[in-house]
Structures are given as C-alpha cells and as structure tokens.
Amino acid sequence: SPPVPNSRPEAVSLLKSLEILAQYFAYRAADTFLAWGSMFSLASLVSALAIAVASLVWRRARPDRPIRPRVLARALFPMRMLRSASSRADVGLFLFNTFPAGALLLWIIVSASQIGEMVHSALVSEFGAHPAPALSPALARGLASGLLFVAYEFAYWLDHYLSHRVPILWEFHKVHHTAEVLTPLTAFRVHPIDSLVFANITALVTGAVGGVVSYALGPAAAPFSVSGANVILVAFGFLTIHLQHSHVWISFTGAAGRILLSPAHHQIHHSADPAHFNRNLGSCLSVFD
C-alpha cells in the first residue's frame, strides 16, 4: 500500500513491529493450542480431562450413591488448587515460556536434523552407503518411530538425571520443584536455562539416533508424525503426560509400572518426602529408572 502522507517514519516502523509481534503471538498460540502434535494442544487437554473424569468415577462409583456433577467438579478442580499462589505463578510462567522465552530458544538450540545429517554422512564416509533393508515402508517407518521415541525418552531421562545430580543444573531445575500444587501448567514452571539444556541434550541424542536410523533403514524411513511430532509421543500426551502434573492418582503397578511411567510415578517425583527425592525421572517410560 502507498505510504501515508506526512506520516513519520518512526511511527510506520512501530506499526510494522507491532504487526510482526502480533503475528508471532498468533502463530505461537495456534501452534501451542491447535496443532494436534503439540504437547499442550486443546485436544490433548480434553483427552486428559476425560481420563481424569473416568478415573474418579470408577473409584467413587457405588450402586447406592450416584456421583453428583458438583461433587465431581470439586474433585477435579478443588478450591485449594484454584486459589493457590502456586497455580497463579504457573499461569504467568506458562505465558512467559510459551511466548518471549520460546522465541529466544528458537535461535540458540542445537538442531537435531543437523546432528542427524552429520552422523549419517560420517557413517557413509566410514562404512560406505548402506542399502535399505527389504522392509515394507510402513514397517520401516514404524521401526523409526519406535527407535526415535526411545531415544527421546533416554534424552529426557538423561537431562532429568543430570538436572538432579549436577549442582549447577539443579539450581535451574529446582524452579520446577517449587510448585506447591500440581496442574498441567506446572510443566511450564521451568527456568529458561533448564529448557535450553534440555533442548540441546534432546537434539544431540535424537539427532544421533536419527542419523543411525537413516543410515540403517534408508532416508525414506521417516517416523510417523503428527504436526512434526513423533506419533508415539503424541499418544502419551493424550493419555498420561498432562495427568502427571495433577492431583488425580492413576498408578501403573507390576510389569506395566516397570515399563510405563504413570501419573502417580511423577507425582511421587514431586513429593516433599526425602525418601522420594531423585526418583522417577522419565517422561513416558520408567525403564531407564
């Protein structure tokens, strides 16, 4: 459009900056809440709420005592949680880590794709080109999805282990453990440096494994994904991850509890009892613990 007559250059520049800023906030909001692969999508939050309702109904149901909606609502959203200063702080940290801090991290983390390309090129240089195995495309992609999911889980566990064991890293990670009540927003109660360390460790581990997978299975063996996220991780986002930061007790016992990290596992991880410190460091799997 033609410039506005007699307009001041600095005013036009300010309007352009505000337009870019508004576009960025709109993009981040849509990417966070509407993308199916987002770990905080509205769809995954609704799924977690439905599971929480089903769990409470299952535990409290009696033939002679119907569950009243008001009682169920109080059980899901107790006043101590709604009125807590900790919950209000989680809202502020969610906004900070989703918008301004999220923009800063985009520029300074290691790229998993770059690491993967480096590893793949190094393997080709050292051992020569590797013919793709005689697998169906679906099986190859399924293997890639599983291997990269396990790689992500190990990276998460390794970062979490180091955050609890290395004193300088604990100084940043302990921000997350100041929560006095747990809500899904508590996942955003993190120091930006903590997020940066996690992003770099995850990129290094998943990138290295991705390079090996690409070399062994062929570059066409891309993992199944939803909005760019591994479909297995997205499934856990719909089923368990949000409930880990909640007061709804859902535990996996026996063999399931030795493989899968239940919401109760992570609630114990946030316990104030010293007997529970430094336990249950995984995200979706408990095998590395």
Side-chain angles (χ1 to χ4, degrees):
S1 60
V4 180
N6 301 321
S7 62
R8 298 174 60 185
E10 58 269 26
V12 175
S13 178
L14 176 60
L15 289 174
K16 185 63 176 178
S17 298
L18 291 175
E19 180 184 353
I20 294 173
L21 187 62
Q23 290 174 349
Y24 167 75
F25 274 85
Y27 165 78
R28 289 291 295 168
D31 191 54
T32 299
F33 294 116
L34 302 181
W36 284 87
S38 168
M39 297 311 293
F40 207 71
S41 68
L42 292 176
S44 64
L45 288 168
V46 170
S47 174
L49 179 61
I51 293 171
V53 169
S55 173
L56 292 174
V57 169
W58 175 265
R59 293 208 308 266
R60 295 168 179 243
R62 300 287 187 278
D64 58 338
R65 189 180 65 183
I67 297 177
R68 298 177 181 177
R70 182 181 298 179
V71 174
L72 185 60
R74 285 204 302 264
L76 288 169
F77 305 104
M79 293 306 298
R80 65 178 178 83
M81 179 184 74
L82 298 177
R83 294 175 176 173
S84 169
S86 179
S87 296
R88 293 195 296 272
D90 283 348
V91 173
L93 288 165
F94 162 73
L95 295 173
F96 174 74
N97 282 308
T98 300
F99 296 103
L104 294 175
L105 291 176
L106 290 175
W107 294 95
I108 51 181
I109 65 173
V110 175
S111 168
S113 61
Q114 291 177 343
I115 297 297
E117 291 172 2
M118 290 170 56
V119 170
H120 183 269
S121 298
L123 290 171
V124 171
S125 176
E126 184 68 24
F127 302 106
H130 185 275
L135 300 174
S136 68
L139 179 56
R141 295 189 67 185
L143 285 172
S145 301
L147 291 170
L148 286 170
F149 168 71
V150 173
Y152 169 84
E153 273 298 303
F154 175 71
Y156 184 103
W157 179 89
L158 176 62
D159 169 79
H160 210 172
Y161 176 86
L162 294 175
S163 295
H164 278 257
R165 298 292 184 177
V166 178
I168 185 62
L169 296 181
W170 170 249
E171 290 302 311
F172 299 110
H173 182 66
K174 70 181 182 182
V175 171
H176 183 64
H177 285 270
T178 59
E180 297 176 349
V181 297
L182 296 179
T183 75
L185 287 173
T186 306
F188 294 88
R189 180 186 281 259
V190 290
H191 194 285
I193 299 299
D194 195 11
S195 298
L196 177 62
V197 173
F198 170 72
N200 280 285
I201 290 177
T202 303
L204 287 169
V205 174
T206 59
V209 173
V212 174
V213 169
S214 177
Y215 178 77
L217 300 179
F224 290 110
S225 63
V226 179
S227 304
N230 191 309
V231 67
I232 302 176
L233 184 59
V234 173
F236 275 98
F238 273 74
L239 297 174
T240 64
I241 290 178
H242 291 311
L243 294 168
Q244 292 174 353
H245 292 111
S246 78
H247 59 285
V248 181
W249 183 264
I250 300 176
S251 63
F252 302 154
T253 59
R258 288 190 287 272
I259 298 172
L260 302 174
L261 194 100
S262 67
H265 277 104
H266 195 77
Q267 290 161 3
I268 289 173
H269 175 75
H270 277 269
S271 169
D273 186 341
H276 298 154
F277 289 175
N278 305 322
R279 306 294 181 91
N280 304 338
L281 301 172
S283 172
C284 306
L285 304 178
S286 58
V287 292
F288 297 110
D289 290 308

